[in-house]
Amino acid sequence: MNLNEFLAENGDREIVDIEALEKCLKPKKPKTIYDIKKGDPYFILTLDGDIFKDEWYDWRSEEDMRSMGFVFLTEKEAEIRKKMLMIEEELIRLGGRREFKVGKDNYNLGLCATNKSIIYGTSSTYMGYGVYFDTREQAKEAIEKIGEQRIIDEYFKPRMIFEEDQERHDISYQTAKEIFEREWKKSKKIPVETWDQEKD
């Protein structure tokens, strides 16, 4: 039984010993890795790429690893971070660079969230985040060797938050037309031929 279920059955009863009640409850889970306390479980991504579970001891070495982004609440978060770092390093190996050349072309990769495809941006004055290439062709070649879908799934998507149901944004024109026609048959008020005229 969780606390909500208990309250639903006993919400009108008075608590006579709050300390005893606290002892019956499981400790609150930390919301972020910076909320963990001594004794809390966590996962660490080691410098050689291993992931293992440990207990927080408030050691300086733990704080150092956390400050560098190698400490996580879940194993899944650690695995996601590992894949992102590997993609970034592959981009470097295939001709990319972390340095921004002022006054020169700096091509880097982006993701169009609506159609889920990689886009290329360049600037000689505005420094963004990520890996840069001297030419668009170099960036494109690196994407082809690594795999565009892999880059999307392992490098970009883990950093995206969808506030709404993504399916609402993925309805194709054909699907929308079918919905329209079905509703028209019910109402018998709007001619289907007007659909193609109104969609523009």
Side-chain angles (χ1 to χ4, degrees), residues 173 177 180-181 184 190-199:
Y173 167 68
K177 185 175 181 180
F180 179 88
E181 291 174 346
W184 173 80
I190 306 174
V192 178
E193 306 86 72
T194 62
W195 175 263
D196 290 326
Q197 299 171 10
E198 294 179 359
K199 77 180 182 68

Side-chain angles (χ1 to χ4, degrees), residues 42 44-47 56 60-71:
Y42 73 95
I44 185 168
L45 172 61
T46 65
L47 296 179
W56 190 259
R60 176 64 183 272
S61 58
E62 292 175 316
E63 293 179 357
D64 289 343
M65 292 296 285
R66 180 173 63 180
S67 67
M68 291 187 293
F70 292 109
V71 175

Side-chain angles (χ1 to χ4, degrees), residues 86-102:
M86 291 176 69
I87 291 287
E88 190 167 292
E89 196 56 37
E90 283 195 65
L91 291 170
I92 296 291
R93 180 179 63 83
L94 293 170
R97 51 183 162 78
R98 293 187 177 89
E99 299 79 17
F100 183 87
K101 295 181 179 180
V102 179

Side-chain angles (χ1 to χ4, degrees), residues 36-42 54-58 62:
I36 59 176
K37 299 177 182 178
K38 190 172 183 179
D40 286 342
Y42 73 95
D54 204 348
E55 184 176 307
W56 190 259
Y57 291 99
D58 269 339
E62 292 175 316

Side-chain angles (χ1 to χ4, degrees), residues 126-138:
Y126 176 76
M127 182 177 179
Y129 169 79
V131 177
Y132 302 101
F133 292 85
D134 290 335
T135 67
R136 186 180 187 278
E137 289 69 28
Q138 285 180 337

